[in-house]
Each structure stands twice: as structure tokens, then as C-alpha cells.
Amino acid sequence: MSEPRPAPDPRGTAPAPRRLKPAPLLFEPPEATADPEHFFDLESMEDPRELLGRSTELALAFRAAADRATEYQALAAAQLADPKRFDRLPLSALAERAEWTEDYARKMVEFGRTLMRDGGSRPDGGD
């Protein structure tokens, strides 16, 4: 899926790269996440064919999850920026809250409005 990307800084200065802390993976046991080398038991696989297969499955699952989370972000952005809301957020506040640029926030609001128009109130077409 093609998704909005932050616009370059017009002043020509690149912002310092932000290192985001990943969300905890709720389906891994707590003792597994205590070991920084542990990642879905991939480190213990010795057969490279098995390792490639399992790591590919995980990569595809995470991409799908990221795409879906982005769609939910867009829906929320569109709802929060809706001019009919008495408590709507201006783009600047929305961008600050989500740690986006205003240009990216604008694109996410447009994307969210498209999703709402085309598929109901949720990215999967449900209610």
C-alpha cells in the first residue's frame, strides 16, 4: 500500500532520526522479551530454510499489521479533524499529537476520509 510520507524540511535541515521504541509484542511471553537477542524464537533455528520461511512469514505479518495500523491512524486523524466536531483538532495540533509534520497530517486526514467514504467506519469494512 502506498502511504503518505513526511515532507522534507523546507529549511534544508534534516531532523535528527527518531528511534521509536517498538510496542511490546503481547503474544510473546515476558521471559522471552527480557532477552534482547530473542525474537520469536528465530535465534534458535539452525536450518536456514526453516529460518527463511519463518522470518518471511513474520515480515509479511508485520507489514500487514503496520498497514492496518496506518489505516486506523488515518481514520482517527480524519475523525479528529472533522469540521463538524465541536472539539476538532487543527492540523497543527493533530500533527503534534501524532508526531507528524502538518503536511503528513493533511495527507493522513485525506486518506482517512477516503477510507471512511469507501469502506465504512473501519479499514476492514466493519462497523
Side-chain angles (χ1 to χ4, degrees):
M1 166 172 71
S2 175
E3 51 195 45
R5 303 256 186 247
D9 188 339
R11 298 176 302 239
T13 58
R18 240 182 348 142
R19 298 213 12 107
L20 298 176
K21 180 179 177 188
L25 300 169
L26 302 177
F27 44 87
E28 278 201 296
E31 59 275 4
T33 58
D35 178 5
E37 294 299 315
H38 178 82
F39 190 72
F40 293 92
D41 215 23
L42 295 177
E43 70 286 348
S44 67
M45 293 183 175
E46 295 184 20
D47 178 4
R49 287 176 187 87
E50 182 184 0
L51 178 59
L52 179 61
R54 181 65 179 135
S55 60
T56 299
E57 288 174 353
L58 284 169
L60 293 173
F62 287 131
R63 281 187 207 130
D67 287 347
R68 190 150 183 205
T70 299
E71 290 174 348
Y72 278 102
Q73 280 184 307
L75 284 172
Q79 291 169 359
L80 288 169
D82 186 344
K84 293 179 246 169
R85 287 178 64 110
F86 76 93
D87 60 346
R88 80 178 180 100
L89 291 178
L91 282 177
S92 60
L94 180 62
E96 183 179 338
R97 177 173 283 188
E99 298 182 18
W100 297 331
T101 64
E102 281 191 49
D103 185 50
Y104 188 81
R106 183 178 299 102
K107 290 177 182 179
M108 287 295 277
V109 167
E110 291 168 9
F111 180 43
R113 288 178 180 155
T114 300
L115 288 172
M116 287 191 293
R117 195 172 42 247
D118 294 346
S121 60
R122 289 192 350 212
D124 59 6
D127 293 319

